[in-house]
């Protein structure tokens, strides 16, 4: 009869039927009850209970209690119910089991509640509070029952307190902040319903307290709600937090047009970068977690509308299309100016060619001691060679430099007798001639521009084809990987994988931060524009060569465009790979964002060196092999460099040795050998130049540059060895940028020191680029996120959008840096336009 009465007591009229979805919880309950004396021999006491009343009772293995509650559920009103339990006993051998049976859910927990931390540490909590999810109802109003079963296996009476209360502020309202307190054993969750006309909202949870570490989760309206540290990651979207967390939620992801905001405090702070206290790892030892309550507030705000998306995209396109328009206008104005000058020259038929050249020299030619004859005031961004195309054409070759056309043609014909660079380099007499020419105290460009132009053009075109091949093979697996990253984020809901600026991350389709991807469009568009400008110059120069134009053949810096094509391609690839990185930014794919930055810095240095050393510049294979080694070390540094003293010692030694070898190569113009006799020759030079007689360096300017370069690189190596920065990729990029800036400053200084001048357009490009770089670096160092820290710590740096409610500081860095890189490329392209009509044996090498 006792067993029968027990069965009847659990099936009162009006109790909720058992659904198949919650059979597992009921089976667990039955197994628990069957473990007591013959399954149901204990006395069951059922009570009609009321809300907001504290019940102080005692439970033993012989007495079980059931509390029956009923409340009215309205379809248009959401009301939460919270169960709070407090147990005074500290033992866990026979804890009290609480089972809450609802219409469509079963929630069970034991008190003391045992939560596990790292290394299976056990933390007991005697006070537990759980919010019950509200089962949906189709009726306008419905009375629902739920039961709280209390049982234990302890033979000794255990005292407990039970209180069930209504949560009046269970529903969150748009733009209204709500404050609450949570602990590991007392999580909180709230409901939010999308209002009409709002398809996307951003949920923000903030706290003034860094620790304890907590988790914010967005879950669908389903029962049960996963609101404990050990199960909060099972469904929905979630992210750890210290002081702030933000998740953008879209209506399309929740068919019920509503969702739960769940906040859980973790048992330990290790996941948020906090300290992990040392405890003796003894089996089954309970650890007092102390006070881990945290005050938080939550607010749900509407996200941006589709109009803001359109405005952001139009703004981005408008900025960079304006550069196309500006370039076209400059080209038109320059072309009109050149035609006007040519018409003015051709309108004086009675004047001899020598007089015309003299007139041009008086009226137009710049005040440079190295310029002869015709004018050099050709500052067009698009076509400095347009002068040679229009003025020094077939009808107007004016006795240039007192050289006969016959002599130039003979030299040109002789230079074309060899079409392979190696044929020229391997002859013994030519090699001896190199030693004589390249070791002169004062070198001119003509000394280092003796190889056949067609051979050098093919040599430097390899730079473009190689980087195009590298780009294809590099970009395809990168795109595949970041798509996988984004898929994992969307499927698992783990938003700690990617380091976004969550306060300004606007999703589009499957992408979580579309604005960070869109802002990279400038690299691609301006890189393409630079390629078009270079192509135009290349076409004009080739036309001049086909006419055997004297200025194109014998004057100015030799025109080789292969490196420029490679630079433009690298800029476009930087935009593509930076966009791929921002699909899911983290430390494992940061290499995608920096690889082509290394290439751009390396190609710019090579182009600066090639300008006055065209014959001895590095081949594409050597250059890309060195850049591959740099990227290889970048990967090693990211993976193994954090706090690894051995790695930093090895890298610093390699860095210093590479600096010394490169310095030697540059100082001796490649006329030295690295073999077994190198040490003997070094000692001989030290003895003859420093001990036997104290003589200064033969190439003073070169020595000044190399000494400064060695000081900078040795200092950077020492800094890395001492500080061992966590962001090795950025440290390596800083080395490349410092060397590039040093070489560029040296080039400009030596150019002015040699009596040359910088034309107006190039000077404008330099000043404009310097200003833009300054603003760009300001926004770069704002640091909206950092994968050097935990995801929770990184979110402390997140900031709101600052431009059009769509772009953040890092997006502006993308805008400005792409413009600055484009301007830097234009500077390299135009800075020597003043030499286009200067004979090469009058242009110094430095």
């Amino acid at each position: 009869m006792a067993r029968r009465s027990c069965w009847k007591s659990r099936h009162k009229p009006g109790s909720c039927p058992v659904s198949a979805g919650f059979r597992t919880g009921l089976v667990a309950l039955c197994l628990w009850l069957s473990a007591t004396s013959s399954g149901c021999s204990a006395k069951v006491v059922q009570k009609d209970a009321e809300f907001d009343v504290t019940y102080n009772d005692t439970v033993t293995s012989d007495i079980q209690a059931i509390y029956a509650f009923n409340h009215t559920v309205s379809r248009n009103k959401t009301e939460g119910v919270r169960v709070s339990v407090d147990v005074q006993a500290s033992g866990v051998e026979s804890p009290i089991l609480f089972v809450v049976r609802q219409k469509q859910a079963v929630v069970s927990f034991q008190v003391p509640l045992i939560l596990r931390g790292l290394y299976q540490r056990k933390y007991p909590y005697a006070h537990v509070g759980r919010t019950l999810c509200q089962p949906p109802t189709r009726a306008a109003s419905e009375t629902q029952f739920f039961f709280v079963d209390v049982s234990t296996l302890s033979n000794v009476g255990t005292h407990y307190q039970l209180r069930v209360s209504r949560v009046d502020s269970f529903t969150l309202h748009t733009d209204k902040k709500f404050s609450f307190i949570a602990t590991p054993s007392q999580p909180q969750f709230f409901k939010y319903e999308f209002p009409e006309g709002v398809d996307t909202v951003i949920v923000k949870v903030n706290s003034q307290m860094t620790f304890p570490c907590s988790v914010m989760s967005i879950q669908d309206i389903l029962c049960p709600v996963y609101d404990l540290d050990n199960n909060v990651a099972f469904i929905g979207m979630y992210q750890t937090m210290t002081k702030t967390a933000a998740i953008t939620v879209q209506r399309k992801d929740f068919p019920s047009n509503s969702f739960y905001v769940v906040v859980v405090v973790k048992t330990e702070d290790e996941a948020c970068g906090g300290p992990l206290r040392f405890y003796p790892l003894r089996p089954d030892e309970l650890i007092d977690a102390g006070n881990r309550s945290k005050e938080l507030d939550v607010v749900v705000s509407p996200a941006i509308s589709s109009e803001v998306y359109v405005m952001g995209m139009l703004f981005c396109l408008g900025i960079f299309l304006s550069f196309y328009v500006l370039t076209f206008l400059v080209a038109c104005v320059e072309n009109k100016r050149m035609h006007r000058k040519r018409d003015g020259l051709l309108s004086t038929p009675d004047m001899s060619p020598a007089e015309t050249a003299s007139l041009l020299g008086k009226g137009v030619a710049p005040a440079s001691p190295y310029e002869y004859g015709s004018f050099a005031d050709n500052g067009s961004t698009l076509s400095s060679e347009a002068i040679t195309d229009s003025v020094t054409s077939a009808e107007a070759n004016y006795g240039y430099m007192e050289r006969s056309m016959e002599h130039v043609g003979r030299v040109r014909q002789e230079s074309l007798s060899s079409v392979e660079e190696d044929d020229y380099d391997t002859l013994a007499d030519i090699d001896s001639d190199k030693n004589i020419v390249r070791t002169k105290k004062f070198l001119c460009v003509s000394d280092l521009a003796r190889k056949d132009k067609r051979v050098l053009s093919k040599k430097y075109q390899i730079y473009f084809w190689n980087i195009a091949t590298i780009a294809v093979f590099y970009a395809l697996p990168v795109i595949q990987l970041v798509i996988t990253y984004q898929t994992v984020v969307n499927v698992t809901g783990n938003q700690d994988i990617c380091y976004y600026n969550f306060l300004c991350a606007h999703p589009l389709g499957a992408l979580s931060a579309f604005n960070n991807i869109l802002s990279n469009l400038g690299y691609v568009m301006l890189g393409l524009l630079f390629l078009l400008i270079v192509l135009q110059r290349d076409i004009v120069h080739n036309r001049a060569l086909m006419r055997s134009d004297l200025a194109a053949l014998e004057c100015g810096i030799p025109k080789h465009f292969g490196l420029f094509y490679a630079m433009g391609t690298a800029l476009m690839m930087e935009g593509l790979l930076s966009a791929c990185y921002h699909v899911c930014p983290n430390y494992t794919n940061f290499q995608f964002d920096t690889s082509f930055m290394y290439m751009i810095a390396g190609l710019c240095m090579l182009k600066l060196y090639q300008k006055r050393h065209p014959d001895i510049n590095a081949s594409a294979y050597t250059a890309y092999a060195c850049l591959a080694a740099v990227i290889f070390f970048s990967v090693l540094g990211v993976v193994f460099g954090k706090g690894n003293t051995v790695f930093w010692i090895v890298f610093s030694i390699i860095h210093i040795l590479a600096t010394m070898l490169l310095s030697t190569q540059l100082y001796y113009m490649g006329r030295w050998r690295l073999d077994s006799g190198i040490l003997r020759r070094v000692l001989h030079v030290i003895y003859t130049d420093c001990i036997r007689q104290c003589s200064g360096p033969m190439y003073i300017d070169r020595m000044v540059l190399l000494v400064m370069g060695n000081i900078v690189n040795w200092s950077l190596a020492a800094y890395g060895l001492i500080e061992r920065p966590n962001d090795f990729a950025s440290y390596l990029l800083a080395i490349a940028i410092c060397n590039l800036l040093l070489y560029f400053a040296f080039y400009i200084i030596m150019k002015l020191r040699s009596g040359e001048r910088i034309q107006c357009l190039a000077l404008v490009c330099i000043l404009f680029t310097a200003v833009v770089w300054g603003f760009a670096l300001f926004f770069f160092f704002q640091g909206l996120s950092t994968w050097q820290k935990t995801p929770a710590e990184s979110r402390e740096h997140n900031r709101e959008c600052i431009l059009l409610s769509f772009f953040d500081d890092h997006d502006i860095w993308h805008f400005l840096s792409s413009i600055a890189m484009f301007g830097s490329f234009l500077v390299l392209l135009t800075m020597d336009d003043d030499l286009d009509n200067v004979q090469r044996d009058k242009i110094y090498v430095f």
Side-chain angles (χ1 to χ4, degrees), residues 402-649:
E402 302 179 357
R403 291 192 176 191
S404 66
M405 191 67 187
E406 179 183 357
H407 173 68
V408 173
R410 179 172 55 82
V411 173
R412 172 86 175 156
Q413 187 174 9
E414 291 174 355
S415 68
L416 295 178
S417 63
S418 173
V419 295
E420 295 294 335
E421 185 181 5
D422 292 340
D423 296 341
Y424 186 83
D425 279 348
T426 55
L427 298 175
D429 54 340
I430 296 300
D431 191 63
S432 174
D433 182 57
K434 286 181 183 179
N435 291 329
I436 295 173
V437 171
R438 296 182 188 175
T439 55
K440 294 194 306 184
K441 186 170 185 179
F442 298 104
L443 280 171
C444 295
V445 171
S446 58
D447 298 324
L448 299 179
R450 308 174 72 192
K451 295 181 180 179
D452 180 70
K453 295 180 178 61
R454 292 188 303 171
V455 174
L456 287 181
S457 178
K458 291 180 179 179
K459 171 183 176 181
Y460 292 123
Q461 283 297 331
I462 295 176
Y463 273 97
F464 167 70
W465 292 113
N466 277 10
I467 200 170
T469 305
I470 292 170
V472 172
F473 281 92
Y474 194 92
L476 290 179
V478 166
I479 294 173
Q480 181 181 6
L481 181 62
V482 297
I483 290 175
T484 303
Y485 266 122
Q486 187 65 72
T487 302
V488 170
V489 172
N490 294 339
V491 171
T492 64
N494 182 4
Q495 300 208 352
D496 283 353
I497 296 176
C498 306
Y499 286 72
Y500 302 117
N501 174 20
F502 288 91
L503 294 179
C504 187
H506 305 302
L508 182 66
L511 300 174
S512 298
F514 173 70
N515 54 303
N516 293 150
I517 298 172
L518 176 65
S519 59
N520 287 283
L521 182 64
Y523 297 105
V524 178
M525 294 185 64
L526 294 182
L528 178 61
L529 177 60
F530 182 74
L531 288 177
L532 294 176
I533 294 173
V534 173
L535 177 62
Q536 195 273 345
R537 282 199 168 212
D538 195 4
I539 293 173
V540 170
H541 180 66
N542 287 331
R543 288 176 180 174
L545 292 179
M546 291 177 65
R547 293 193 312 269
S548 296
D549 194 301
L550 288 178
L553 291 171
E554 300 294 326
C555 297
I557 299 296
K559 303 289 190 300
H560 300 296
F561 297 98
L563 272 169
F564 282 129
Y565 285 122
M567 289 162 56
T569 305
L571 184 58
M572 295 179 66
M573 286 305 302
E574 170 59 27
L576 175 62
L577 293 178
S578 178
C580 290
Y581 165 72
H582 284 90
V583 170
C584 181
N586 57 66
Y587 82 98
T588 59
N589 60 12
F590 184 59
Q591 175 200 346
F592 304 159
D593 197 26
T594 56
S595 294
F596 274 82
M597 290 184 185
Y598 302 140
M599 288 197 173
I600 289 174
L603 291 173
C604 288
M605 283 188 280
L606 285 170
K607 186 59 193 179
L608 274 174
Y609 189 75
Q610 182 210 52
K611 281 178 172 289
R612 308 202 181 216
H613 309 78
D615 286 358
I616 61 175
N617 201 23
S619 68
Y621 307 110
T622 303
Y624 288 130
C626 293
L627 291 173
V630 171
I631 295 174
F632 174 73
F633 276 105
S634 173
V635 174
L636 290 181
V638 170
V639 178
F640 304 108
K642 189 173 182 179
N644 192 332
T645 305
V646 175
F647 170 82
W648 281 101
I649 292 175

Side-chain angles (χ1 to χ4, degrees), residues 178-189:
F178 176 72
S179 300
F180 59 95
I181 298 176
T183 68
S185 62
Q186 301 176 75
Q188 300 275 5
F189 69 86

Side-chain angles (χ1 to χ4, degrees), residues 744 747-749 751-752 757-774 820 822-832:
F744 182 76
Y747 191 96
I748 294 293
I749 293 172
K751 180 177 177 67
L752 298 176
R757 72 183 186 91
I758 300 175
Q759 290 192 340
C760 180
L761 185 61
L763 184 60
V764 170
C765 287
I766 292 174
L767 296 177
F768 172 76
T769 302
V771 172
V772 175
W773 268 124
F822 175 71
S824 301
F825 288 2
L826 288 183
V827 171
L828 290 176
L829 187 64
T830 62
M831 65 189 304
D832 286 317

Side-chain angles (χ1 to χ4, degrees), residues 281-384:
L281 295 179
R282 298 175 183 173
D284 299 326
E285 181 179 5
L286 298 179
I287 302 170
D288 183 12
N291 181 19
R292 293 190 64 79
S293 62
K294 187 169 187 175
E295 297 180 3
L296 306 105
D297 57 71
V298 58
V299 60
V300 184
S301 304
I304 61 174
S305 62
S306 58
E307 289 78 8
V308 179
Y309 277 86
V310 174
M311 183 65 69
M313 289 186 280
L314 292 178
F315 174 80
C316 189
L317 284 172
I319 286 181
F320 300 113
L321 286 177
S322 65
F323 282 88
Y324 282 78
V325 175
L326 181 62
T327 301
F328 178 76
L329 293 176
V330 171
C332 292
V333 171
E334 186 63 22
N335 185 60
K336 184 176 181 180
R337 185 175 68 89
M338 297 311 303
H339 279 290
R340 187 180 302 163
K341 285 189 176 182
R342 185 183 63 178
D343 295 341
L345 292 175
L346 296 179
S347 63
T348 55
D350 297 335
M351 190 173 297
S352 66
E355 291 172 339
T356 303
S358 176
L359 177 62
L360 289 173
K362 292 179 182 179
V364 183
S368 171
Y370 307 130
E371 296 188 1
Y372 294 79
S374 67
F375 58 92
D377 189 16
N378 52 334
S380 172
T381 305
L382 289 174
S383 57
S384 64

Side-chain angles (χ1 to χ4, degrees), residues 24 43 113 149 151 245 345 578 596:
T24 302
K43 180 181 179 182
L113 178 65
D149 300 350
S151 60
L345 292 175
S578 178
F596 274 82

Side-chain angles (χ1 to χ4, degrees), residues 81-87 98 100 107 109-111 113 125-132 161-165 167 181-189 227-228 263-264:
V81 176
R82 188 166 182 82
V83 177
S84 300
V85 176
D86 192 5
V87 174
F98 291 84
V100 182
V107 178
F109 54 89
Q110 71 175 50
V111 184
L113 178 65
Y125 294 91
H127 186 70
V128 179
R130 304 290 296 275
T131 302
L132 306 181
Q161 291 182 349
L162 172 66
R163 183 182 179 89
V164 178
S165 56
V167 182
I181 298 176
T183 68
S185 62
Q186 301 176 75
Q188 300 275 5
F189 69 86
D227 58 350
L228 290 178
V263 179
V264 179

